[in-house]
Amino acid sequence: MSGRARVTVFAALAALLTSWSLVPLVDSAGWLLQAALLLAVQSAVGAGARRVPLARSLTVAAQLLVSLVLLAFLFGGKAGTGGTGPVAYLVTDFGALFRRGVQDVGEFAIPAPLTDGIRLLLVCGVLLIGLLVDLLAVTLRTAAAAGLPLLALYSVAAGLSGGGEASWFAFLLAGSGYLMMLLAEGRDRLAQWGRVFGGAPRDRVSAASGLGGGPGGRATAPVRTGRRIGAVALGLALAVPAALPALGGGLLGGQGEAEGDGSGAGGTISAVNPLVSLQSNLNAQDNRVVLKYRTDNPQQGEQYLRILALDEFNGVKWEASGRALTDVPERLPDPPGVAEKVRAGALEVRTSISAADSYTQRYLPMPYPATQVDIGGKWRFEPVGRTLVGDQLGKDRFQNVQGAMYTVRSLQLRPTAQQLQKAPAPDKAVRDEYTKLPDNLPPVVADTARQVTQGAKDDYTRAVKLQDFFAVSGGFRYNTKTASGNGPQAVARFLADKEGFCVHFAFSMAAMSRSLGIPARVAVGFTPGEKQSDGSVNVSMRDAHAWPELYFEGVGWTRFEPTPRSGINVPDYSRPVAPAAQPSAPAALPSQVAPEPSAAPSKADDCPPELKKLGECGAAAQAQGPTGDDGPSATAILGWAALVAAVLSLPLLPVLWRGRLRARRLGGGEVAAAWRELGDAAWDVGVPPDGALSPRRAAGRIVELGRLEPEAAGAVHRVAGAVERALYAPPGAAAGYPDLAEDVLRARTGLLASASRTSRLRALLFPRSAARVGWALSARWTALATTLSARLTALRLRLPLRGRG
């Protein structure tokens, strides 16, 4: 391997090792292999372009063009813009996926899910850094400056990930890659001086020079010395920040504040708001399954998986108040406020849940109210909200749900509307705590609540009217793209705009319920999910949900559902009395997330609008025609086929170009053109041309270096003799040469036959004579520049000179 090739390999390796620092930013490292393959192709294109050789600008342009084509080929069509044809797939769709990646970066928290958009950004970033490193270290031969893009990549990754335990390893990889690239570049420079640093006598080399002192008087290799210096420097960079507390942890630091009270015992739940990522989950392009479960609950559609309850509205946001944690008891205490009569009618169900490896929530999703939890690991129990939260495992490390398998026993409470309607007034302590509202809450919230519930005689009827106001009669629309907003003004704005997603509906109903004196809080978790053919249930990211829980004495905390979203069940106890015999899930209002259901014509005219919105018109009301596309069109298929054919034909371009050039040279019967073709055929197999030789000497050189057989050698000498006659014979004395083309082809066949398999393959796919193309372009550019300069000079001379004399 030549020195330049070695630098190319280590430059690509340095970029790849530095890109390891990006791994903590996403929850999967699968993109790294794809980036490595594309980076290898990009470096190979650069090496081939420099070997031709091409100009520096053309080398970078070739690398950039090939990288863009490969990226478009791999990622085209994944944005789903609906366009057809290669332009739509490779330009419009590619750009849309890039913009989606930028949006995903802004929405997801670290580690983010590896969506197609984020994967595209990561691969593009690695290729861009790799191109800059290759340009500086190999093309421009300034390997030291190539550390700047590597440092930029590492700094951005370390800044986003916040350091952590793996930051030292990422720095070690990046530093090692940079040092190896420097050593390879230094070795290449030393090799150009010959064996200057070989084995000078010991008595002639100063000990201070670092070249003497070897055994037997041999010099110490500078490369070995450089490796030792680099290893020492890298070790100091890793060890010094850890040994000096004044540096605040330095490279090995990155310790942020731990969740909780900082005692290491997990004493309280800190005010963590999981709704920060809920909107991102609902809008996620990658709808990953985060939980799977099996249950013996006969009403699986009623089994929400609850994470925690937000019971404190401080005027800015809803959050979980800080409460003391206890050890998880073998049997959880009875749920608060549930009377014995309601408990007797409840059914205890068993649910086995498994969490995905990508789900790192610290709070345990469970059906409410849970009575027993069987799970491994370190968990703590918060009795008021009946929540399990992961305990602290170490500095900056907490128990989470990632990959957990656990079993939950819970009560399926089935209160009736009559029990809720006749519920007594809640306990004063419960009412005082769960009806608090900030002083700066806009009056429109309470005024709207009183207006909507006008005429209601009890809290249950008021709650049902509030639910129907949001879900049916108020004209609200479900839209996950709406900004969630902060503070009490967000509720007033939502009531005016009448558009939002589950957070807006849950927050608003809870706040309005509190203004009416009904204890309320907001629960966060997942809807029941989608049942599979094998009986299991999949819960995905888009099943993330928030809903209000209202307190009724004797029944306890009770779920209501004000969000008009398809797939969400309104609880039986909160349904208005309707003549329909088979209640079903409410139909979704128009939104940007789910298509609007269309009613079947058989029963649509007989069903009132209010019952249509509640889904009370039977299965016909929710019948929906097939949606989606029928696959790619014929134009798209032809476009893809043309693109694949173009990519596969790229290696054949040199073969086609040489074949066309050979046919043109030999087809005219000119001896000079045939001689030039013979010289290029020899050049392609490793016999470079020498313009200082006569045709006879050049022919002998081709025969000798090409190791030609007698037949092919005779053809070469005959062509050389024809060239001599054409050059030196008197006009009209040169005889015709009808077998000129055959002799050139016979000589070319002999050259290929005597060459090795690698040389033959290179002569076909990467012919050395292609350098003439670069020479021709350079000559044309020089001629054009000379012509323009001459014309500008002549024009300047013809212009009159003012102020002369």
Side-chain angles (χ1 to χ4, degrees):
M1 182 183 295
S2 64
R4 182 71 68 90
R6 187 180 295 105
V7 178
T8 302
V9 171
F10 281 104
L13 184 61
L16 185 61
L17 291 178
T18 306
S19 64
W20 178 266
S21 58
L22 297 171
V23 170
L25 302 183
V26 290
D27 57 6
S28 174
W31 63 272
L32 195 58
L33 177 60
Q34 195 172 44
L37 294 176
L38 295 182
L39 188 62
V41 174
Q42 178 179 271
S43 300
V45 171
R50 286 185 289 266
R51 189 67 181 266
V52 168
L54 294 180
R56 293 175 176 177
S57 57
L58 293 179
T59 299
V60 177
Q63 291 178 280
L64 186 61
L65 178 61
V66 172
S67 300
L68 290 176
V69 170
L70 292 177
L71 285 172
F73 180 72
L74 291 176
F75 290 94
K78 291 191 176 182
T81 57
T84 58
V87 175
Y89 276 100
L90 301 182
V91 180
T92 306
D93 205 64
F94 186 76
L97 186 63
F98 195 90
R99 292 191 297 270
R100 183 178 297 172
V102 175
Q103 182 181 358
D104 290 344
V105 169
E107 289 181 354
F108 290 112
I110 295 173
L114 188 59
T115 64
D116 289 332
I118 294 179
R119 183 192 295 269
L120 174 62
L121 293 183
L122 291 173
V123 175
C124 286
V126 173
L127 289 181
L128 178 60
I129 296 299
L131 181 61
L132 292 176
V133 172
D134 187 85
L135 171 64
L136 294 172
V138 189
T139 303
L140 300 180
R141 304 183 67 83
T142 55
L148 294 177
L150 295 176
L151 178 61
L153 177 61
Y154 173 79
S155 300
V156 170
L160 292 176
S161 62
E165 296 180 358
S167 63
W168 70 268
F169 183 67
F171 178 78
L172 180 63
L173 289 179
S176 300
Y178 180 56
L179 288 177
M180 287 189 295
M181 180 181 64
L182 289 179
L183 290 173
E185 195 262 353
R187 184 175 180 179
D188 181 41
R189 289 183 179 273
L190 289 177
Q192 297 178 13
W193 290 83
R195 299 183 60 85
V196 175
F197 299 101
R202 185 171 184 174
D203 56 352
R204 296 187 182 181
V205 181
S206 172
S209 66
L211 302 178
R218 299 187 60 183
T220 303
V223 174
R224 186 180 304 172
T225 303
R227 289 172 183 168
R228 294 172 180 172
I229 295 174
V232 172
L234 190 58
L236 290 176
L238 288 169
V240 170
L244 298 179
L247 297 181
L251 179 68
L252 301 179
Q255 289 97 357
E257 294 183 0
E259 271 186 281
D261 59 1
S263 64
T268 61
I269 297 179
S270 58
V272 177
N273 192 346
L275 293 171
V276 173
S277 60
L278 191 148
Q279 185 175 13
S280 300
N281 294 336
L282 293 174
N283 290 319
Q285 302 298 327
D286 182 14
N287 189 26
R288 295 172 297 135
V289 174
V290 294
L291 297 170
K292 291 186 177 183
Y293 69 89
R294 291 180 180 272
T295 181
D296 58 3
N297 191 344
Q299 294 179 303
Q300 181 266 330
E302 297 287 338
Q303 182 165 289
Y304 282 44
L305 297 180
R306 182 173 173 275
I307 297 176
L308 81 164
L310 310 178
D311 53 8
E312 185 175 306
F313 188 26
N314 58 12
V316 178
K317 60 182 178 181
W318 287 82
E319 59 186 5
S321 56
R323 299 183 186 277
L325 300 177
T326 64
D327 294 333
V328 181
E330 182 177 353
R331 182 82 179 180
L332 304 187
D334 294 337
V338 180
E340 185 60 33
K341 185 176 182 181
V342 176
R343 174 183 285 276
L347 176 67
E348 186 172 57
V349 298
R350 182 177 183 272
T351 305
S352 298
I353 307 173
S354 62
D357 292 334
S358 59
Y359 185 57
T360 57
Q361 175 62 251
R362 190 182 163 194
Y363 302 91
L364 191 68
M366 301 185 298
Y368 181 86
T371 58
Q372 187 176 358
V373 183
D374 182 13
I375 185 174
K378 296 183 63 176
W379 296 89
R380 306 278 283 172
F381 178 61
E382 194 275 290
V384 177
R386 303 182 68 82
T387 301
L388 259 67
V389 58
D391 201 357
Q392 191 165 6
L393 302 177
K395 192 170 182 61
D396 297 336
R397 293 178 58 244
F398 293 87
Q399 179 71 55
N400 58 43
V401 194
Q402 184 178 21
M405 300 181 66
Y406 55 101
T407 302
V408 181
R409 292 188 177 274
S410 59
L411 294 178
Q412 180 66 36
L413 299 176
R414 293 178 286 190
T416 63
Q418 290 76 16
Q419 290 173 333
L420 291 169
Q421 194 170 14
K422 296 178 180 179
D427 183 82
K428 184 178 183 303
V430 174
R431 180 186 293 272
D432 291 343
E433 181 177 2
Y434 294 102
T435 58
K436 291 180 181 179
L437 288 171
D439 296 335
N440 56 352
L441 188 69
V444 65
V445 178
D447 294 343
T448 304
R450 286 192 296 268
Q451 182 180 359
V452 170
T453 60
Q454 187 176 6
K457 304 294 185 180
D458 53 81
D459 287 347
Y460 165 75
T461 306
R462 297 186 184 96
V464 172
K465 285 193 172 186
L466 286 178
Q467 175 182 268
D468 294 344
F469 169 67
F470 290 111
V472 180
S473 60
F476 289 86
R477 296 169 57 89
Y478 181 79
N479 180 9
T480 61
K481 302 297 182 181
T482 306
S484 56
N486 289 318
Q489 294 297 330
V491 179
R493 192 181 310 114
F494 169 64
L495 294 176
D497 297 340
K498 295 190 174 183
E499 187 174 63
F501 61 104
C502 57
V503 169
H504 299 87
F505 291 97
F507 283 5
S508 300
M509 182 171 175
M512 294 171 73
S513 299
R514 287 192 173 192
S515 70
L516 298 174
I518 306 175
R521 63 189 186 187
V522 176
V524 182
F526 297 95
T527 54
E530 183 177 356
K531 193 168 185 178
Q532 306 299 303
S533 58
D534 61 352
S536 64
V537 183
N538 287 351
V539 179
S540 62
M541 293 176 64
R542 293 181 190 170
D543 291 320
H545 190 49
W547 62 91
E549 289 182 344
L550 276 57
Y551 182 85
F552 293 89
E553 191 67 38
V555 179
W557 290 103
T558 308
R559 175 177 66 90
F560 283 81
E561 194 52 81
T563 304
R565 170 183 161 190
S566 64
I568 292 182
N569 293 324
V570 173
D572 291 336
Y573 50 77
S574 66
R575 295 178 182 272
V577 179
Q582 297 180 352
S584 59
L589 293 176
S591 72
Q592 298 181 9
V593 176
E596 183 178 2
S598 58
S602 58
K603 295 186 179 181
D605 298 335
D606 299 332
C607 184
E610 294 79 6
L611 296 183
K612 285 183 182 179
K613 293 180 179 180
L614 283 175
E616 297 293 343
C617 300
Q622 295 189 10
Q624 184 173 347
T627 58
D629 52 18
D630 297 327
S633 63
T635 305
I637 295 176
L638 291 177
W640 274 111
L643 177 64
V644 172
V647 172
L648 294 178
S649 64
L650 285 177
L652 301 178
L653 289 181
V655 179
L656 299 176
W657 169 75
R658 283 293 287 123
R660 182 176 179 82
L661 180 63
R662 185 180 307 111
R664 187 169 67 250
R665 286 173 172 176
L666 301 180
E670 296 182 3
V671 177
W675 177 249
R676 190 178 301 112
E677 174 59 30
L678 179 58
D680 284 354
W683 189 7
D684 290 340
V685 295
V687 182
D690 189 349
L693 300 178
S694 66
R696 185 170 303 181
R697 293 289 303 276
R701 181 170 176 267
I702 292 175
V703 171
E704 179 182 358
L705 297 181
R707 301 184 301 276
L708 294 182
E709 297 294 333
E711 183 180 357
V716 173
H717 286 298
R718 286 194 295 273
V719 175
V723 174
E724 289 181 342
R725 287 193 298 271
L727 291 175
Y728 306 119
Y737 192 175
D739 298 331
L740 177 64
E742 288 76 5
D743 278 344
V744 173
L745 294 177
R746 189 176 295 111
R748 177 177 178 271
T749 302
L751 288 169
L752 292 175
S754 62
S756 65
R757 180 178 301 177
T758 304
S759 299
R760 287 198 302 271
L761 186 61
R762 176 173 178 177
L764 293 174
L765 299 180
F766 303 101
R768 294 177 174 87
S769 59
R772 296 188 185 276
V773 178
W775 297 346
L777 292 176
S778 179
R780 291 184 181 182
W781 172 256
T782 303
L784 179 61
T786 303
T787 302
L788 291 177
S789 177
R791 290 184 179 180
L792 290 175
T793 302
L795 180 62
R796 186 169 62 251
L797 292 176
R798 285 199 298 268
L799 291 177
L801 298 178
R802 298 181 180 179
R804 179 177 294 179

